[in-house]
Amino acid sequence: MNENSLPVALQQALLAMSGWEAAAVVLGIAYLLLAMRESLWCWYAAFGSTAIFLFLFWDVRLLMEAALQVYYLAMAVYGWRHWQHGGGRGDALAISSWGGRQHATAIGLVLTISLLSGLMLSHFSDARLPFLDSFTTWGSVLTTWMVARKILENWLYWLLIDSVSIYLYLDRALYLTALLFLVYIVIAVFGYQQWRQHYRAQSS
């Protein structure tokens, strides 16, 4: 790839973006910014973005990606309700933090399922980078659930998952999506810092 090809590819991708795709991207960014502020509105943004992506992926026959959006829709509803009533005695949910054993269990589970999925994809499909693709998919499933449970370290998990995703999207020449995930990484850094401050304040 020469030095001019990336800006040209980004420009072409922007011109090719539909209004619905642009709306999904804007709502996706809004979801993270609102989640950083612990606003319940983040789940409305997540639901809207996911619903649009579900339609878009189904329309281009990316059936597994479409199926993943169904999970995200369910988690948007679950997160909205759990943030309101998931605390003690039905109060609003507070930020919590996992211990080493919980992280080890979660990471081990994601790596095991990713390995199995990667093996299946490599043997029964022509999937590109099946193990990394499986890792980002299952890691996203876990980390979305962590957000719904207000686990502090979800932001750190997103940093790793989004970084790997950028590599995958660059490999597939999805430059605009890679740029979007770079924005996600920046938001995740600030999200972790803000949630950590809130966690320390509520624990003091």
Side-chain angles (χ1 to χ4, degrees):
M1 180 185 297
N2 61 55
E3 61 181 5
N4 295 320
S5 61
L6 182 57
V8 171
L10 284 172
Q11 183 180 18
Q12 292 174 341
L14 283 169
L15 292 174
M17 178 183 286
S18 69
W20 283 112
E21 185 180 2
V25 168
V26 170
L27 286 170
I29 294 174
Y31 157 67
L32 287 180
L33 291 173
L34 291 166
M36 182 175 68
R37 297 169 61 88
E38 298 181 70
S39 170
L40 278 174
W41 283 98
C42 75
W43 298 112
Y44 292 97
F47 193 92
S49 176
T50 300
I52 296 171
F53 275 127
L54 172 59
F55 170 78
L56 293 175
F57 288 143
W58 183 268
D59 189 54
V60 297
R61 316 313 296 168
L62 291 174
L63 302 186
M64 289 303 295
E65 289 292 334
L68 186 60
Q69 303 310 305
V70 174
Y71 167 78
Y72 288 152
L73 283 175
M75 290 308 297
V77 175
Y78 172 78
W80 174 79
R81 179 164 180 78
H82 199 67
W83 276 28
Q84 290 186 90
H85 308 295
R89 298 180 180 178
D91 295 332
L93 185 66
I95 297 172
S96 60
S97 178
W98 275 358
R101 180 176 296 180
Q102 291 166 301
H103 286 297
T105 301
I107 293 171
L109 184 61
V110 167
L111 292 178
T112 300
I113 298 176
S114 298
L115 177 61
L116 295 174
S117 296
L119 287 171
M120 291 183 63
L121 288 172
S122 62
H123 282 88
F124 301 109
S125 76
D126 59 351
R128 175 74 177 172
L129 301 173
F131 293 98
L132 288 182
D133 196 12
S134 295
F135 170 74
T136 57
T137 298
W138 291 110
S140 297
V141 167
L142 167 69
T143 311
T144 301
W145 181 82
M146 292 173 68
V147 176
R149 304 286 298 185
K150 274 197 179 179
I151 307 300
L152 170 63
E153 292 82 10
N154 84 84
W155 299 104
L156 301 180
Y157 281 52
W158 281 129
L159 286 175
L160 175 60
I161 294 167
D162 290 346
S163 297
V164 175
S165 296
I166 288 175
Y167 175 80
L168 288 174
Y169 294 136
L170 289 176
D171 179 76
R172 300 170 188 179
L174 297 171
Y175 303 119
L176 191 61
T177 306
L179 181 62
L180 174 64
F181 273 67
L182 182 60
V183 174
Y184 286 169
I185 286 176
V186 174
I187 295 174
V189 171
F190 288 100
Y192 176 71
Q193 292 175 344
Q194 185 156 335
W195 275 36
R196 184 174 60 176
Q197 291 177 354
H198 292 179
Y199 175 70
R200 289 176 173 175
Q202 73 186 24
S203 301
S204 60

